[in-house]
Amino acid sequence: MQQLSAMDASFVYMETPHTPMHIGSVGIYDPSTAPGGFVRFKDILSFIEQRLPGARSFRQRLVRVPFDVDHPYWIEDPEFDIEFHVRHIALPKPGDWRQLCIQVARLHSRPMDLTKPLWEFTVVEGLDNIPGLPPGCFALVSKVHHAAIDGMSGVEMSAAVHDLDASMKPPEKPDDWAPENMPRVADLLTRSYFNNLLQPMRIAETIGRSLPGMAKLAVQAGKGDVSLKNTRPAPKTRFNGKVSAHRVWDAVPFKLAEVRAIKEAVEGATVNDVIIAVVGGALRSYLKGKGELPKETLTAMAPISVRQEGEKAALGNLVSAMVIGLGTQIEDPLERLRFVHDDAVNSKAMTNAVGAKTLADYSKLIPSGLAGLGARLYTRVGAANMHAPAFNCVVTNVPGSRVPLYFAGARMVAMYGTAPVFDSMGLINPVYSYGDTIAVSFTADRDMLPDPDVYADALRSSFEALKAAALKTPAPKKEANENKPAKKPAPKRAAKGAK
């Protein structure tokens, strides 16, 4: 048995029929590279079963403590059945992109069974009319509960079911997995009693670690090195209320080389800055078209991994976060990128002053029973409609493979992301990179974003406008000079300096 951390447990407490808390991906594969040139569903089942030892999350289920008086536990599921977790459907003709988007949204909107290991794979065939895809492609729509993984540990789970070639060579590591018995209620309550006795010590330890960082932040703010402007609530938008049970989904790919070229127009800018500026431009255009654009900048929460090198395969979430302005109040796309970069630098300085890992540990300060009760009451009374949001949306970047990956012998041709929305945050933008492409996907509440094709077009237009503005701008002089050969000193001046 392994107990969930406070942060992992918070995703369990936030789960309601309207707010399923799973993340996932949509991979598209070309079966022509597989042995025989095709992939059968039973081949996929066998392939996944061979690779279950590659990630512990595959066969661990959740056990909740009665009344949520303590955080839940993971145990090795004594009733594990792979056929419950791997499903198979097909799109009706014509099998176009919009049909796939609708099907992904429907799959994503359905909560998972919390009494089973918290993952599902759905194979979707019939992708016959999507431009740019080889004939016969299929999609793999994955769902994994956020309590089990974050974006970075999700990469490890993905690695378990992907190969670097089409050989489908089975893993050499033997499968020594063994199921566990379900724990007794009395044992869970006894553990909870002793855990709660230690809670005051954990709180004191977390606060003690944060005090030096808070003092450092106060000094930096006093000197003007750090601005505290992002600590204010964000403006209210259509995306910041109580969400429904229905979702929309879409994804827009961009060439990674073009994104890297754009960032050179602003000294110090990063790929993340460019993507956030593109999202800011899209939201500006979308909300302006509805007559709902606030005067103040919208903000995005950007998760930060605090996963150490030795924790890559660890279960659960090891993340902190920072809030970045999207520059939606700025019309000029290049000025918006500068604004985003400056705001990101400021947010990173604030996070570094306190410590990202310390900020992540703040979730430990809330007692488990109170956390669960608070999450349920927040949803039931519709509290999200009654206050200004802490941020308007989420932009989360998940790094992918630069080399081709293979699933059951089929080569991956595209990878996109899905993610949860919840009350007060009805739009999330997962950013996935794969090969020479980086894609901005989005999951949103259907009532808040009834026209996902309009927002997808806004993302494309925002990117093109930023690219046009950036490529017209010469690179900063400092960077340009670094690429020029050093000039030789004039002979006359050199003679004067000689001794």
Side-chain angles (χ1 to χ4, degrees):
M1 282 176 57
Q2 179 181 346
Q3 190 169 31
L4 277 69
S5 70
M7 183 177 292
D8 295 343
S10 69
F11 293 109
V12 178
Y13 303 143
M14 291 172 69
E15 175 99 8
T16 74
H18 283 194
T19 57
M21 298 304 297
H22 46 256
I23 61 178
S25 63
V26 181
I28 299 179
Y29 301 86
D30 176 10
S32 67
T33 60
F38 62 92
V39 178
R40 296 171 297 183
F41 181 65
K42 70 175 186 178
D43 297 331
I44 290 175
L45 277 175
S46 175
F47 179 82
I48 295 173
E49 192 164 25
Q50 289 179 349
R51 284 154 175 78
L52 292 176
R56 294 180 61 189
S57 300
F58 280 131
R59 291 180 288 197
Q60 289 195 319
R61 60 158 293 181
L62 200 67
V63 176
R64 297 181 76 160
V65 179
F67 310 110
D68 284 333
V69 296
D70 199 4
H71 298 319
Y73 291 84
W74 294 115
I75 70 162
E76 306 298 331
D77 184 19
E79 300 175 346
F80 177 76
D81 178 7
I82 190 172
E83 293 190 18
F84 176 85
H85 298 275
V86 185
R87 291 93 183 271
H88 184 202
I89 60 175
L91 297 178
K93 290 186 180 299
D96 57 26
W97 176 255
R98 180 52 49 199
Q99 287 177 287
L100 178 62
C101 290
I102 293 170
Q103 189 58 251
V104 170
R106 287 174 177 169
L107 291 170
H108 188 75
S109 66
R110 297 172 190 165
M112 288 192 290
D113 186 344
L114 297 184
T115 68
K116 305 284 187 182
L118 297 180
W119 65 277
E120 293 175 7
F121 287 170
T122 302
V123 178
V124 183
E125 292 188 310
L127 282 59
D128 301 324
N129 197 29
I130 299 178
L133 292 187
C137 281
F138 66 89
L140 183 72
V141 181
S142 71
K143 293 164 56 174
V144 186
H145 202 282
H146 216 327
I149 63 169
D150 58 26
M152 293 303 294
S153 60
V155 172
E156 296 296 315
M157 193 172 183
S158 176
V161 294
H162 287 98
D163 296 325
L164 296 178
D165 56 48
S167 65
M168 296 176 60
K169 182 180 178 181
E172 298 178 358
K173 182 181 178 181
D175 186 3
D176 55 0
W177 177 80
E180 293 181 89
N181 294 324
M182 292 290 290
R184 296 180 300 177
V185 171
D187 293 338
L188 292 173
L189 292 176
T190 301
R191 286 172 177 256
S192 302
Y193 173 76
F194 287 107
N195 283 342
N196 287 325
L197 287 179
L198 298 174
Q199 183 68 5
M201 296 175 60
R202 298 192 189 103
I203 292 174
E205 180 185 1
T206 301
I207 293 175
R209 283 204 313 270
S210 68
L211 288 178
M214 290 295 186
K216 180 181 177 182
L217 178 61
V219 170
Q220 291 180 349
K223 291 180 178 178
D225 297 334
V226 172
S227 171
L228 301 180
K229 58 185 177 181
N230 279 348
T231 57
R232 298 195 303 266
K236 188 87 169 178
T237 72
R238 61 167 48 219
F239 303 114
N240 306 120
K242 183 176 172 61
V243 299
S244 72
H246 308 292
R247 303 289 177 263
V248 293
W249 180 86
D250 205 335
V252 180
F254 304 112
K255 293 181 179 178
L256 188 55
E258 293 182 344
V259 174
R260 287 175 172 158
I262 291 170
K263 76 180 181 66
E264 297 302 320
V266 174
E267 186 175 358
T270 65
V271 168
N272 276 355
D273 294 338
V274 173
I275 294 300
I276 291 172
V278 168
V279 171
L283 283 171
R284 173 185 169 84
S285 173
Y286 183 84
L287 292 176
K288 190 175 182 180
K290 304 287 184 183
E292 301 172 4
L293 181 64
K295 293 181 180 180
E296 306 89 354
T297 180
L298 272 64
T299 60
M301 189 270 276
I304 304 170
S305 176
V306 295
R307 191 174 293 272
Q308 303 298 320
E309 188 63 30
E311 299 173 321
K312 286 186 176 180
L315 288 172
N317 294 265
L318 294 171
V319 294
S320 183
M322 62 183 185
V323 176
I324 302 173
L326 292 168
T328 51
Q329 82 283 19
I330 301 172
E331 182 176 3
D332 183 84
L334 201 57
E335 286 302 314
R336 186 183 311 115
L337 176 57
R338 291 190 180 97
F339 175 90
V340 167
H341 170 64
D342 291 343
D343 214 53
V345 169
N346 183 73
S347 294
K348 288 174 185 175
M350 290 178 61
T351 302
N352 291 337
V354 180
K357 197 167 183 65
T358 300
L359 289 172
D361 287 342
Y362 283 172
S363 58
K364 298 177 181 179
L365 303 184
I366 305 175
S368 55
L370 184 59
L373 178 62
R376 290 188 292 272
L377 285 177
Y378 184 83
T379 295
R380 288 174 184 172
V381 303
N385 297 326
M386 306 174 189
H387 65 87
F391 48 85
N392 298 110
C393 68
V394 173
V395 180
T396 176
N397 195 343
V398 180
S401 174
R402 300 271 74 83
V403 298
L405 298 178
Y406 295 81
F407 171 77
R411 183 177 64 88
M412 179 192 289
V413 296
M415 172 63 83
Y416 309 111
T418 63
V421 299
F422 46 87
D423 289 344
S424 84
M425 201 286 295
L427 172 66
I428 186 167
N429 301 269
V431 181
Y432 271 59
S433 56
Y434 173 65
D436 59 358
T437 300
I438 186 167
V440 179
S441 311
F442 61 88
T443 306
D445 175 73
R446 195 172 72 186
D447 292 344
M448 296 176 179
L449 191 73
D451 43 8
D453 54 326
V454 175
Y455 181 61
D457 286 341
L459 284 168
R460 295 184 187 95
S461 298
S462 176
F463 179 80
E464 291 301 326
L466 181 56
K467 182 173 73 171
L471 297 186
K472 287 180 182 178
T473 303
K477 291 182 179 180
K478 182 178 179 182
E479 294 183 12
N481 290 338
E482 288 175 355
N483 297 325
K484 293 181 179 180
K487 291 184 178 180
K488 295 181 180 180
K492 185 176 181 180
R493 198 172 287 177
K496 285 184 178 181
K499 294 184 179 179

